[in-house]
Coordinates of all heavy atoms in Angstrom, one line a residue:
M1 N 34.4 -34.1 -40.0 CA 34.1 -33.9 -38.6 C 34.6 -35.1 -37.8 O 34.4 -36.3 -38.2 CB 32.6 -33.8 -38.4 CG 32.2 -33.5 -37.0 SD 30.3 -33.4 -36.8 CE 30.0 -31.7 -37.3
T2 N 35.3 -34.9 -36.7 CA 35.9 -36.0 -35.9 C 34.8 -36.6 -35.1 O 33.7 -36.1 -35.0 CB 36.9 -35.5 -35.0 OG1 36.3 -34.7 -34.0 CG2 38.1 -34.8 -35.7
D3 N 35.1 -37.9 -34.5 CA 34.0 -38.5 -33.8 C 33.7 -37.7 -32.5 O 32.5 -37.6 -32.1 CB 34.5 -39.9 -33.3 CG 34.5 -40.9 -34.4 OD1 33.9 -40.6 -35.4 OD2 35.0 -42.0 -34.2
I4 N 34.7 -37.0 -31.9 CA 34.5 -36.2 -30.7 C 33.6 -35.0 -31.1 O 32.6 -34.7 -30.4 CB 35.8 -35.8 -30.1 CG1 36.5 -37.0 -29.5 CG2 35.5 -34.7 -29.0 CD1 37.8 -36.7 -29.0
S5 N 34.0 -34.3 -32.2 CA 33.2 -33.1 -32.5 C 31.8 -33.5 -32.9 O 30.8 -32.8 -32.6 CB 33.9 -32.2 -33.5 OG 34.0 -33.0 -34.7
R6 N 31.6 -34.6 -33.6 CA 30.3 -35.1 -33.9 C 29.5 -35.4 -32.7 O 28.3 -35.0 -32.6 CB 30.4 -36.4 -34.8 CG 29.1 -36.8 -35.4 CD 29.2 -37.9 -36.4 NE 30.0 -37.6 -37.6 CZ 31.2 -38.2 -37.9 NH1 31.7 -39.2 -37.1 NH2 31.8 -37.8 -39.0
R7 N 30.1 -36.1 -31.7 CA 29.4 -36.4 -30.5 C 29.0 -35.1 -29.8 O 27.9 -34.9 -29.3 CB 30.3 -37.2 -29.6 CG 29.5 -38.1 -28.6 CD 30.4 -39.0 -27.8 NE 31.3 -39.8 -28.6 CZ 32.7 -39.9 -28.4 NH1 33.2 -39.3 -27.4 NH2 33.4 -40.6 -29.2
E8 N 29.9 -34.0 -29.8 CA 29.6 -32.8 -29.1 C 28.4 -32.1 -29.8 O 27.6 -31.5 -29.2 CB 30.8 -31.9 -29.1 CG 31.8 -32.3 -28.0 CD 33.1 -31.5 -28.1 OE1 33.3 -30.9 -29.1 OE2 33.9 -31.7 -27.2
S9 N 28.4 -32.2 -31.2 CA 27.3 -31.5 -31.9 C 26.0 -32.2 -31.6 O 25.0 -31.6 -31.5 CB 27.6 -31.3 -33.3 OG 27.4 -32.5 -34.0
V10 N 26.0 -33.5 -31.5 CA 24.8 -34.3 -31.1 C 24.3 -33.9 -29.8 O 23.2 -33.7 -29.6 CB 25.1 -35.8 -31.3 CG1 23.9 -36.6 -30.7 CG2 25.3 -36.2 -32.7
L11 N 25.3 -33.8 -28.8 CA 24.9 -33.5 -27.4 C 24.3 -32.1 -27.5 O 23.3 -31.8 -26.8 CB 26.1 -33.5 -26.5 CG 26.5 -34.9 -26.1 CD1 27.8 -34.9 -25.3 CD2 25.4 -35.6 -25.3
A12 N 24.9 -31.1 -28.2 CA 24.4 -29.8 -28.2 C 23.0 -29.8 -28.8 O 22.2 -29.0 -28.3 CB 25.4 -28.9 -29.0
F13 N 22.8 -30.6 -29.8 CA 21.5 -30.6 -30.4 C 20.5 -31.2 -29.4 O 19.4 -30.6 -29.3 CB 21.5 -31.5 -31.7 CG 20.2 -31.6 -32.4 CD1 19.8 -30.5 -33.2 CD2 19.4 -32.7 -32.3 CE1 18.5 -30.6 -33.8 CE2 18.2 -32.7 -32.9 CZ 17.8 -31.7 -33.7
D14 N 20.9 -32.2 -28.7 CA 20.0 -32.8 -27.7 C 19.7 -31.8 -26.6 O 18.5 -31.7 -26.1 CB 20.6 -34.1 -27.1 CG 20.5 -35.2 -28.0 OD1 19.8 -35.1 -29.1 OD2 21.2 -36.2 -27.8
D15 N 20.7 -31.0 -26.2 CA 20.5 -30.0 -25.1 C 19.5 -29.0 -25.7 O 18.6 -28.5 -24.9 CB 21.8 -29.3 -24.8 CG 22.7 -30.2 -24.0 OD1 22.2 -31.2 -23.4 OD2 23.9 -29.9 -23.9
R16 N 19.7 -28.6 -26.9 CA 18.8 -27.5 -27.4 C 17.4 -28.1 -27.5 O 16.4 -27.4 -27.2 CB 19.2 -27.1 -28.8 CG 20.3 -26.0 -28.7 CD 20.9 -25.6 -30.0 NE 21.9 -26.6 -30.4 CZ 22.3 -26.8 -31.7 NH1 21.7 -26.2 -32.6 NH2 23.2 -27.7 -31.9
M17 N 17.2 -29.4 -28.0 CA 15.9 -30.0 -28.1 C 15.2 -30.1 -26.7 O 14.0 -30.2 -26.7 CB 16.0 -31.3 -28.8 CG 16.3 -31.2 -30.3 SD 15.2 -30.2 -31.2 CE 13.7 -31.2 -31.2
A18 N 16.0 -30.2 -25.7 CA 15.4 -30.3 -24.3 C 14.7 -29.1 -23.9 O 13.9 -29.1 -23.0 CB 16.5 -30.7 -23.3
T19 N 14.9 -28.0 -24.6 CA 14.3 -26.7 -24.3 C 13.0 -26.5 -25.2 O 12.5 -25.4 -25.2 CB 15.2 -25.5 -24.4 OG1 15.5 -25.4 -25.9 CG2 16.5 -25.7 -23.6
V20 N 12.7 -27.5 -26.0 CA 11.6 -27.3 -26.9 C 10.4 -28.2 -26.7 O 10.7 -29.4 -26.4 CB 12.1 -27.5 -28.4 CG1 11.0 -27.4 -29.4 CG2 13.2 -26.5 -28.7
D21 N 9.2 -27.7 -26.7 CA 8.0 -28.6 -26.6 C 7.2 -28.4 -27.9 O 7.3 -27.3 -28.5 CB 7.1 -28.1 -25.5 CG 7.6 -28.6 -24.1 OD1 8.2 -29.7 -24.1 OD2 7.2 -28.0 -23.1
F22 N 6.5 -29.4 -28.3 CA 5.6 -29.2 -29.4 C 4.1 -29.6 -29.0 O 3.9 -30.6 -28.5 CB 6.0 -30.3 -30.5 CG 7.4 -30.0 -31.1 CD1 8.5 -30.7 -30.5 CD2 7.6 -29.1 -32.1 CE1 9.7 -30.4 -31.0 CE2 8.8 -28.8 -32.5 CZ 9.9 -29.5 -32.0
R23 N 3.3 -28.6 -29.2 CA 1.8 -28.7 -28.9 C 1.2 -29.1 -30.2 O 0.9 -28.2 -31.1 CB 1.3 -27.5 -28.3 CG 1.9 -27.2 -26.9 CD 1.4 -26.0 -26.3 NE 2.1 -25.7 -25.1 CZ 2.2 -24.5 -24.5 NH1 1.7 -23.5 -25.0 NH2 2.9 -24.4 -23.4
I24 N 1.0 -30.4 -30.4 CA 0.7 -30.9 -31.8 C -0.8 -30.7 -32.1 O -1.6 -31.2 -31.3 CB 1.1 -32.3 -31.9 CG1 2.7 -32.4 -31.7 CG2 0.7 -32.9 -33.2 CD1 3.2 -33.8 -31.6
S25 N -1.0 -30.1 -33.2 CA -2.4 -30.0 -33.7 C -2.8 -31.2 -34.5 O -1.9 -31.8 -35.1 CB -2.5 -28.7 -34.6 OG -3.7 -28.7 -35.3
H26 N -4.1 -31.5 -34.5 CA -4.5 -32.6 -35.4 C -4.4 -32.2 -36.9 O -4.4 -33.1 -37.7 CB -5.9 -33.0 -35.0 CG -6.1 -33.6 -33.6 ND1 -5.4 -34.7 -33.3 CD2 -6.8 -33.2 -32.5 CE1 -5.7 -35.0 -32.0 NE2 -6.5 -34.1 -31.6
T27 N -4.4 -30.9 -37.1 CA -4.3 -30.5 -38.5 C -2.9 -30.1 -38.9 O -2.3 -29.3 -38.1 CB -5.3 -29.2 -38.7 OG1 -6.5 -29.6 -38.2 CG2 -5.4 -28.9 -40.1
A28 N -2.4 -30.6 -40.0 CA -1.0 -30.2 -40.4 C -1.0 -28.8 -40.8 O -1.8 -28.3 -41.6 CB -0.6 -31.1 -41.5
H29 N 0.0 -28.0 -40.3 CA 0.1 -26.6 -40.8 C 0.9 -26.5 -42.0 O 0.9 -25.4 -42.7 CB 0.7 -25.7 -39.6 CG 2.1 -26.1 -39.2 ND1 2.4 -27.3 -38.6 CD2 3.3 -25.5 -39.4 CE1 3.7 -27.4 -38.4 NE2 4.2 -26.3 -38.9
I30 N 1.7 -27.5 -42.3 CA 2.4 -27.6 -43.6 C 2.0 -28.9 -44.3 O 2.0 -29.9 -43.7 CB 3.9 -27.6 -43.4 CG1 4.4 -26.3 -42.7 CG2 4.7 -27.8 -44.7 CD1 5.8 -26.3 -42.3
T31 N 1.7 -28.8 -45.6 CA 1.5 -30.0 -46.4 C 2.4 -30.0 -47.6 O 2.8 -28.9 -48.1 CB 0.0 -30.1 -46.9 OG1 -0.3 -28.9 -47.6 CG2 -0.9 -30.3 -45.7
V32 N 2.8 -31.1 -48.0 CA 3.8 -31.3 -49.1 C 3.1 -32.1 -50.2 O 2.6 -33.2 -49.9 CB 5.1 -31.9 -48.6 CG1 6.0 -32.1 -49.8 CG2 5.7 -31.0 -47.6
D33 N 3.1 -31.6 -51.4 CA 2.5 -32.4 -52.5 C 3.6 -33.3 -53.1 O 4.5 -32.8 -53.9 CB 2.0 -31.5 -53.5 CG 1.2 -32.2 -54.7 OD1 1.5 -33.4 -54.9 OD2 0.4 -31.6 -55.3
S34 N 3.6 -34.5 -52.7 CA 4.7 -35.4 -53.1 C 4.8 -35.6 -54.6 O 5.9 -35.8 -55.2 CB 4.5 -36.8 -52.4 OG 5.6 -37.6 -52.6
E35 N 3.6 -35.4 -55.3 CA 3.7 -35.5 -56.8 C 4.5 -34.4 -57.4 O 5.2 -34.6 -58.4 CB 2.2 -35.5 -57.3 CG 1.5 -36.8 -57.0 CD 2.2 -38.0 -57.5 OE1 2.7 -38.0 -58.7 OE2 2.3 -39.0 -56.8
V36 N 4.4 -33.2 -56.8 CA 5.1 -32.1 -57.4 C 6.6 -32.3 -57.1 O 7.5 -32.0 -57.9 CB 4.7 -30.7 -56.7 CG1 5.5 -29.6 -57.2 CG2 3.2 -30.5 -57.0
C37 N 6.9 -32.9 -55.9 CA 8.3 -33.1 -55.6 C 9.0 -34.1 -56.5 O 10.2 -34.1 -56.6 CB 8.3 -33.7 -54.1 SG 7.8 -32.5 -52.9
R38 N 8.3 -35.0 -57.2 CA 8.9 -36.0 -58.0 C 9.8 -35.3 -59.1 O 10.8 -35.9 -59.5 CB 7.9 -36.8 -58.7 CG 7.3 -37.9 -57.7 CD 6.3 -38.8 -58.4 NE 5.4 -39.4 -57.4 CZ 5.8 -40.4 -56.6 NH1 7.0 -40.9 -56.7 NH2 5.0 -40.8 -55.7
S39 N 9.4 -34.1 -59.5 CA 10.2 -33.5 -60.6 C 11.2 -32.5 -60.1 O 11.9 -31.8 -60.8 CB 9.2 -32.7 -61.5 OG 8.5 -31.7 -60.8
C40 N 11.4 -32.5 -58.8 CA 12.3 -31.6 -58.2 C 13.8 -32.0 -58.4 O 14.1 -33.2 -58.2 CB 12.1 -31.5 -56.7 SG 13.2 -30.4 -55.8
T41 N 14.6 -31.0 -58.8 CA 16.0 -31.3 -59.1 C 16.9 -31.0 -58.0 O 18.0 -31.5 -57.9 CB 16.4 -30.6 -60.4 OG1 16.2 -29.2 -60.2 CG2 15.7 -31.1 -61.6
T42 N 16.4 -30.2 -57.0 CA 17.4 -29.7 -55.9 C 17.2 -30.6 -54.6 O 18.1 -30.8 -53.9 CB 17.1 -28.3 -55.6 OG1 15.8 -28.1 -55.0 CG2 17.3 -27.4 -56.9
R43 N 16.0 -30.9 -54.3 CA 15.7 -31.6 -53.1 C 16.2 -30.7 -51.9 O 16.7 -31.3 -50.9 CB 16.2 -33.0 -53.0 CG 15.6 -33.9 -54.2 CD 14.4 -34.6 -53.7 NE 13.6 -35.0 -54.8 CZ 12.9 -36.1 -54.8 NH1 12.9 -36.9 -53.8 NH2 12.1 -36.3 -55.7
A44 N 16.1 -29.5 -52.0 CA 16.7 -28.5 -51.1 C 16.2 -28.7 -49.6 O 16.9 -28.5 -48.6 CB 16.6 -27.1 -51.5
C45 N 14.9 -29.1 -49.6 CA 14.3 -29.2 -48.3 C 15.0 -30.3 -47.4 O 15.0 -30.2 -46.2 CB 12.8 -29.6 -48.4 SG 12.6 -31.1 -49.4
L46 N 15.6 -31.3 -48.0 CA 16.2 -32.4 -47.3 C 17.3 -31.9 -46.4 O 17.5 -32.4 -45.3 CB 16.7 -33.5 -48.2 CG 15.7 -34.2 -49.1 CD1 16.4 -35.2 -50.0 CD2 14.7 -34.9 -48.2
V47 N 18.1 -31.0 -46.9 CA 19.2 -30.5 -46.1 C 18.9 -29.2 -45.4 O 19.5 -28.9 -44.4 CB 20.5 -30.2 -47.0 CG1 21.0 -31.5 -47.5 CG2 20.1 -29.3 -48.2
A48 N 17.9 -28.5 -45.9 CA 17.6 -27.2 -45.3 C 16.8 -27.2 -44.0 O 16.9 -26.4 -43.1 CB 16.9 -26.3 -46.3
C49 N 15.9 -28.2 -43.9 CA 15.1 -28.3 -42.7 C 15.9 -28.7 -41.5 O 16.5 -29.8 -41.4 CB 14.0 -29.4 -42.9 SG 13.0 -29.7 -41.4
P50 N 15.9 -27.8 -40.5 CA 16.8 -28.0 -39.3 C 16.2 -29.2 -38.4 O 17.0 -29.8 -37.7 CB 16.7 -26.8 -38.5 CG 15.4 -26.1 -38.9 CD 15.3 -26.5 -40.4
A51 N 15.0 -29.6 -38.6 CA 14.4 -30.7 -37.8 C 14.4 -32.0 -38.6 O 13.9 -33.0 -38.1 CB 13.0 -30.3 -37.4
K52 N 14.9 -31.9 -39.9 CA 15.0 -33.1 -40.7 C 13.7 -33.8 -40.9 O 13.5 -35.0 -40.7 CB 16.1 -34.1 -40.1 CG 17.4 -33.5 -40.0 CD 18.0 -33.2 -41.3 CE 19.4 -32.6 -41.1 NZ 19.7 -31.6 -42.2
L53 N 12.6 -33.0 -41.3 CA 11.3 -33.6 -41.4 C 10.9 -34.1 -42.8 O 9.9 -34.6 -43.0 CB 10.3 -32.5 -40.9 CG 10.5 -32.1 -39.4 CD1 9.4 -31.0 -39.1 CD2 10.4 -33.2 -38.5
F54 N 11.9 -33.8 -43.7 CA 11.6 -34.3 -45.1 C 12.5 -35.5 -45.4 O 13.7 -35.5 -45.1 CB 12.0 -33.2 -46.1 CG 11.1 -32.0 -46.1 CD1 11.3 -31.0 -45.1 CD2 10.1 -31.8 -47.0 CE1 10.5 -29.9 -45.0 CE2 9.3 -30.7 -47.0 CZ 9.5 -29.7 -46.0
V55 N 11.9 -36.6 -45.9 CA 12.6 -37.8 -46.2 C 12.2 -38.3 -47.6 O 11.0 -38.2 -48.0 CB 12.2 -38.9 -45.1 CG1 12.9 -40.2 -45.4 CG2 12.5 -38.4 -43.7
T56 N 13.1 -38.8 -48.3 CA 12.8 -39.3 -49.6 C 12.2 -40.7 -49.5 O 12.6 -41.5 -48.6 CB 14.0 -39.4 -50.6 OG1 15.1 -40.1 -49.9 CG2 14.5 -38.1 -51.0
T57 N 11.3 -41.0 -50.4 CA 10.7 -42.4 -50.4 C 11.3 -43.2 -51.5 O 11.9 -42.6 -52.4 CB 9.1 -42.3 -50.6 OG1 8.9 -41.6 -51.8 CG2 8.4 -41.6 -49.5
N58 N 11.1 -44.5 -51.4 CA 11.8 -45.4 -52.4 C 11.3 -45.1 -53.8 O 12.0 -45.4 -54.8 CB 11.5 -46.8 -52.1 CG 12.2 -47.3 -50.8 OD1 13.2 -46.6 -50.5 ND2 11.8 -48.3 -50.2
D59 N 10.1 -44.6 -54.0 CA 9.5 -44.4 -55.3 C 9.7 -42.9 -55.8 O 9.1 -42.5 -56.7 CB 8.0 -44.7 -55.3 CG 7.2 -43.8 -54.4 OD1 7.8 -43.0 -53.7 OD2 5.9 -43.9 -54.5
G60 N 10.7 -42.2 -55.1 CA 11.0 -40.9 -55.6 C 10.2 -39.7 -55.1 O 10.4 -38.6 -55.5
G61 N 9.3 -40.0 -54.2 CA 8.5 -38.9 -53.6 C 9.1 -38.4 -52.4 O 10.3 -38.7 -52.0
I62 N 8.4 -37.5 -51.7 CA 8.9 -37.0 -50.4 C 7.8 -37.3 -49.3 O 6.6 -37.1 -49.5 CB 9.0 -35.4 -50.6 CG1 10.2 -35.1 -51.4 CG2 9.1 -34.8 -49.2 CD1 11.6 -35.3 -50.8
L63 N 8.3 -37.8 -48.2 CA 7.5 -38.0 -47.0 C 7.8 -36.8 -46.1 O 8.9 -36.5 -45.8 CB 7.9 -39.3 -46.4 CG 7.0 -39.8 -45.3 CD1 5.6 -40.1 -45.7 CD2 7.6 -41.1 -44.7
F64 N 6.7 -36.2 -45.6 CA 6.9 -35.0 -44.7 C 6.0 -35.3 -43.4 O 4.9 -35.7 -43.5 CB 6.4 -33.8 -45.4 CG 6.4 -32.6 -44.4 CD1 7.6 -32.1 -44.0 CD2 5.2 -32.1 -44.0 CE1 7.6 -31.0 -43.1 CE2 5.3 -31.0 -43.0 CZ 6.4 -30.5 -42.6
N65 N 6.7 -34.9 -42.3 CA 6.1 -35.1 -41.0 C 6.0 -33.8 -40.3 O 7.1 -33.2 -40.1 CB 6.9 -36.1 -40.2 CG 6.3 -36.6 -39.0 OD1 5.2 -36.1 -38.6 ND2 6.9 -37.6 -38.4
Y66 N 4.9 -33.2 -40.0 CA 4.8 -31.8 -39.5 C 5.0 -31.7 -38.0 O 5.2 -30.6 -37.5 CB 3.5 -31.2 -39.9 CG 2.2 -31.7 -39.2 CD1 1.8 -31.1 -38.0 CD2 1.6 -32.9 -39.6 CE1 0.7 -31.6 -37.3 CE2 0.5 -33.4 -38.9 CZ 0.1 -32.8 -37.7 OH -1.0 -33.3 -37.0
E67 N 4.9 -32.8 -37.3 CA 4.7 -32.7 -35.8 C 5.8 -31.9 -35.1 O 5.6 -31.3 -34.1 CB 4.6 -34.1 -35.1 CG 3.2 -34.6 -35.3 CD 3.0 -35.5 -36.5 OE1 3.9 -35.5 -37.3 OE2 2.0 -36.3 -36.6
Q68 N 7.1 -32.1 -35.5 CA 8.2 -31.5 -34.8 C 8.8 -30.3 -35.6 O 10.0 -30.1 -35.5 CB 9.2 -32.5 -34.4 CG 8.7 -33.5 -33.4 CD 9.7 -34.4 -32.7 OE1 10.7 -34.8 -33.4 NE2 9.6 -34.6 -31.5
C69 N 7.9 -29.5 -36.2 CA 8.4 -28.4 -37.0 C 8.7 -27.2 -36.1 O 7.9 -26.9 -35.2 CB 7.2 -28.0 -37.9 SG 7.5 -26.5 -38.9
F70 N 9.8 -26.5 -36.4 CA 10.2 -25.3 -35.6 C 9.5 -24.0 -36.2 O 9.7 -23.0 -35.6 CB 11.7 -25.1 -35.8 CG 12.5 -26.2 -35.1 CD1 13.6 -26.8 -35.8 CD2 12.3 -26.6 -33.8 CE1 14.3 -27.8 -35.3 CE2 13.0 -27.7 -33.3 CZ 14.0 -28.2 -34.0
E71 N 8.8 -24.2 -37.3 CA 8.0 -23.0 -37.9 C 9.0 -21.9 -38.3 O 8.7 -20.8 -38.3 CB 7.0 -22.4 -36.9 CG 6.0 -23.4 -36.5 CD 5.2 -23.0 -35.3 OE1 4.9 -21.8 -35.1 OE2 4.8 -23.9 -34.4
C72 N 10.2 -22.4 -38.8 CA 11.2 -21.4 -39.3 C 10.9 -20.9 -40.7 O 11.4 -19.8 -41.1 CB 12.6 -22.0 -39.2 SG 12.8 -23.4 -40.3
G73 N 10.2 -21.6 -41.5 CA 9.9 -21.2 -42.8 C 10.9 -21.5 -43.9 O 10.8 -21.2 -45.0
T74 N 12.0 -22.1 -43.4 CA 13.2 -22.4 -44.4 C 12.7 -23.2 -45.5 O 13.1 -23.0 -46.7 CB 14.3 -23.0 -43.6 OG1 14.6 -22.3 -42.4 CG2 15.5 -23.2 -44.5
C75 N 12.0 -24.3 -45.3 CA 11.6 -25.2 -46.4 C 10.8 -24.4 -47.5 O 11.1 -24.6 -48.7 CB 10.7 -26.3 -45.9 SG 9.3 -25.8 -44.9
Y76 N 9.9 -23.5 -47.1 CA 9.1 -22.7 -48.1 C 10.0 -21.8 -48.8 O 9.9 -21.6 -50.0 CB 8.1 -21.9 -47.3 CG 7.0 -21.4 -48.1 CD1 6.1 -22.2 -48.8 CD2 6.9 -20.0 -48.3 CE1 5.1 -21.6 -49.6 CE2 5.9 -19.4 -49.1 CZ 5.1 -20.3 -49.7 OH 4.1 -19.7 -50.5
A77 N 11.1 -21.3 -48.1 CA 12.0 -20.3 -48.8 C 12.9 -21.0 -49.8 O 13.2 -20.4 -50.8 CB 12.8 -19.6 -47.7
V78 N 13.3 -22.2 -49.5 CA 14.3 -22.9 -50.4 C 13.6 -23.7 -51.5 O 14.2 -24.0 -52.5 CB 15.3 -23.8 -49.7 CG1 16.1 -23.0 -48.6 CG2 14.6 -25.0 -49.0
C79 N 12.3 -24.0 -51.3 CA 11.7 -24.8 -52.3 C 11.5 -24.1 -53.7 O 11.1 -23.0 -53.7 CB 10.3 -25.3 -51.8 SG 9.4 -26.3 -53.0
N80 N 11.9 -24.8 -54.7 CA 11.9 -24.1 -56.0 C 10.7 -24.5 -56.9 O 10.7 -24.2 -58.1 CB 13.2 -24.4 -56.8 CG 13.4 -25.9 -57.0 OD1 12.9 -26.7 -56.3 ND2 14.2 -26.2 -58.0
N81 N 9.8 -25.3 -56.4 CA 8.7 -25.8 -57.1 C 7.4 -25.2 -56.6 O 7.0 -25.6 -55.5 CB 8.6 -27.3 -57.1 CG 9.4 -28.0 -58.2 OD1 9.8 -27.3 -59.2 ND2 9.8 -29.2 -58.1
E82 N 6.8 -24.3 -57.3 CA 5.6 -23.7 -56.8 C 4.5 -24.8 -56.6 O 4.3 -25.7 -57.4 CB 5.0 -22.7 -57.9 CG 4.0 -21.8 -57.4 CD 3.6 -20.7 -58.4 OE1 4.5 -20.3 -59.2 OE2 2.5 -20.2 -58.3
G83 N 3.8 -24.7 -55.5 CA 2.7 -25.7 -55.2 C 3.2 -26.9 -54.4 O 2.3 -27.7 -54.0
A84 N 4.5 -27.1 -54.3 CA 5.0 -28.3 -53.6 C 4.6 -28.1 -52.0 O 4.3 -29.1 -51.4 CB 6.4 -28.5 -53.8
I85 N 4.8 -27.0 -51.5 CA 4.6 -26.7 -50.1 C 3.5 -25.8 -49.8 O 3.5 -24.7 -50.4 CB 5.9 -26.3 -49.4 CG1 7.0 -27.3 -49.5 CG2 5.7 -25.9 -47.9 CD1 8.4 -26.9 -48.9
T86 N 2.6 -26.1 -49.0 CA 1.6 -25.2 -48.5 C 1.9 -24.9 -47.1 O 1.9 -25.9 -46.3 CB 0.2 -25.8 -48.7 OG1 0.0 -26.1 -50.0 CG2 -0.9 -24.8 -48.3
W87 N 2.1 -23.7 -46.7 CA 2.7 -23.4 -45.4 C 1.8 -22.4 -44.7 O 1.4 -21.4 -45.2 CB 4.1 -22.7 -45.6 CG 5.0 -22.8 -44.4 CD1 6.1 -23.7 -44.3 CD2 5.0 -22.0 -43.3 NE1 6.7 -23.5 -43.1 CE2 6.1 -22.4 -42.5 CE3 4.3 -20.9 -42.8 CZ2 6.5 -21.9 -41.2 CZ3 4.6 -20.4 -41.6 CH2 5.7 -20.8 -40.8
N88 N 1.4 -22.7 -43.4 CA 0.7 -21.8 -42.6 C 1.3 -22.0 -41.2 O 1.9 -22.9 -40.9 CB -0.8 -22.2 -42.5 CG -1.5 -21.9 -43.8 OD1 -1.7 -20.8 -44.2 ND2 -1.9 -23.0 -44.5
Y89 N 0.9 -21.0 -40.3 CA 1.3 -21.2 -38.9 C 0.2 -22.2 -38.3 O -0.9 -22.2 -38.8 CB 1.3 -19.9 -38.1 CG 2.5 -19.1 -38.4 CD1 2.4 -17.9 -39.2 CD2 3.7 -19.5 -37.9 CE1 3.6 -17.2 -39.5 CE2 4.8 -18.7 -38.1 CZ 4.8 -17.6 -38.9 OH 5.9 -16.9 -39.2
P90 N 0.6 -22.9 -37.3 CA -0.4 -23.8 -36.6 C -1.5 -23.0 -36.0 O -1.4 -21.8 -35.8 CB 0.4 -24.5 -35.5 CG 1.9 -24.3 -35.9 CD 1.9 -23.0 -36.6
E91 N -2.6 -23.7 -35.8 CA -3.8 -23.1 -35.2 C -3.4 -22.5 -33.8 O -2.4 -23.1 -33.2 CB -4.9 -24.1 -34.9 CG -5.3 -24.9 -36.1 CD -6.2 -26.1 -35.6 OE1 -5.9 -26.8 -34.7 OE2 -7.2 -26.2 -36.2
G92 N -4.1 -21.5 -33.3 CA -3.7 -20.9 -32.0 C -3.6 -21.9 -30.9 O -4.3 -22.9 -30.8
G93 N -2.5 -21.7 -30.1 CA -2.2 -22.6 -29.0 C -1.4 -23.8 -29.3 O -1.1 -24.6 -28.5
H94 N -1.2 -24.1 -30.6 CA -0.4 -25.2 -31.1 C 0.9 -24.8 -31.7 O 1.1 -23.7 -31.9 CB -1.2 -26.0 -32.1 CG -2.5 -26.7 -31.6 ND1 -3.7 -26.0 -31.6 CD2 -2.7 -27.8 -31.0 CE1 -4.6 -26.8 -31.1 NE2 -4.0 -27.9 -30.7
G95 N 1.7 -25.8 -31.8 CA 3.0 -25.6 -32.5 C 4.2 -25.6 -31.5 O 4.1 -26.1 -30.4
V96 N 5.3 -25.1 -31.9 CA 6.5 -25.2 -31.2 C 6.5 -24.2 -30.0 O 6.0 -23.1 -30.1 CB 7.8 -25.0 -32.1 CG1 7.8 -23.5 -32.6 CG2 9.1 -25.3 -31.3
V97 N 7.1 -24.6 -28.9 CA 7.2 -23.7 -27.7 C 8.6 -23.7 -27.2 O 9.2 -24.8 -26.9 CB 6.3 -24.1 -26.5 CG1 6.4 -23.2 -25.3 CG2 4.8 -24.2 -27.0
F98 N 9.3 -22.6 -27.2 CA 10.7 -22.6 -26.8 C 10.7 -22.1 -25.3 O 10.3 -21.1 -25.0 CB 11.5 -21.6 -27.6 CG 11.6 -22.0 -29.1 CD1 10.7 -21.4 -30.0 CD2 12.5 -22.9 -29.5 CE1 10.8 -21.8 -31.4 CE2 12.5 -23.3 -30.8 CZ 11.7 -22.7 -31.8
R99 N 11.3 -23.0 -24.5 CA 11.4 -22.7 -23.0 C 12.7 -22.0 -22.8 O 13.7 -22.2 -23.4 CB 11.3 -24.0 -22.2 CG 10.0 -24.7 -22.3 CD 9.9 -25.8 -21.3 NE 11.0 -26.7 -21.3 CZ 10.9 -27.9 -21.8 NH1 9.9 -28.3 -22.5 NH2 12.0 -28.7 -21.8
H100 N 12.6 -21.1 -21.8 CA 13.9 -20.4 -21.4 C 14.3 -20.9 -20.0 O 13.5 -21.1 -19.1 CB 13.6 -18.9 -21.3 CG 13.2 -18.4 -22.7 ND1 14.0 -18.1 -23.7 CD2 11.9 -18.1 -23.1 CE1 13.4 -17.7 -24.8 NE2 12.1 -17.7 -24.4
G101 N 15.6 -21.0 -19.8 CA 16.2 -21.3 -18.5 C 16.0 -22.7 -18.0 O 15.3 -23.5 -18.3
Ligands
SF4_1 S1 9.4 -29.7 -51.0 FE1 10.3 -28.4 -52.6 S2 12.5 -28.6 -52.4 FE2 11.6 -30.3 -51.3 S3 11.6 -32.0 -52.8 FE3 9.6 -31.0 -52.9 S4 9.8 -29.5 -54.5 FE4 11.8 -30.1 -53.9
SF4_2 S1 9.3 -24.7 -41.2 FE1 11.4 -25.2 -40.7 S2 11.3 -26.9 -39.2 FE2 9.3 -26.7 -40.2 S3 9.4 -28.2 -41.9 FE3 10.0 -26.2 -42.7 S4 12.2 -26.1 -42.6 FE4 11.5 -27.8 -41.3

């Protein structure tokens, strides 16, 4: 990717993010069991999450932050370790809000 196309894709992402609000619940709607993640060979969530909410830790675990989740379900779909991800929709009135126009 060239510097110009990279800059354009960053701008496009920023433009898209400007249309999104997050009504953050105090309760996480997705939890990740970092102990289960330690044995993961794919780490598919790292690249699959469009919001980049999964991060590796220095000790081989996974740090997950639920606040800016798009609720797309991709992490749950790509995860190959049963029990690593517990996924629910946020409580009523919370979560991502996509604005139009
Ligand atoms: S959440 Fe799933 S895909 Fe991601 S590191 Fe853990 S086990 Fe692997
Ligand atoms: S539901 Fe989508 S946005 Fe939310 S953590 Fe999973 S992949 Fe990322």
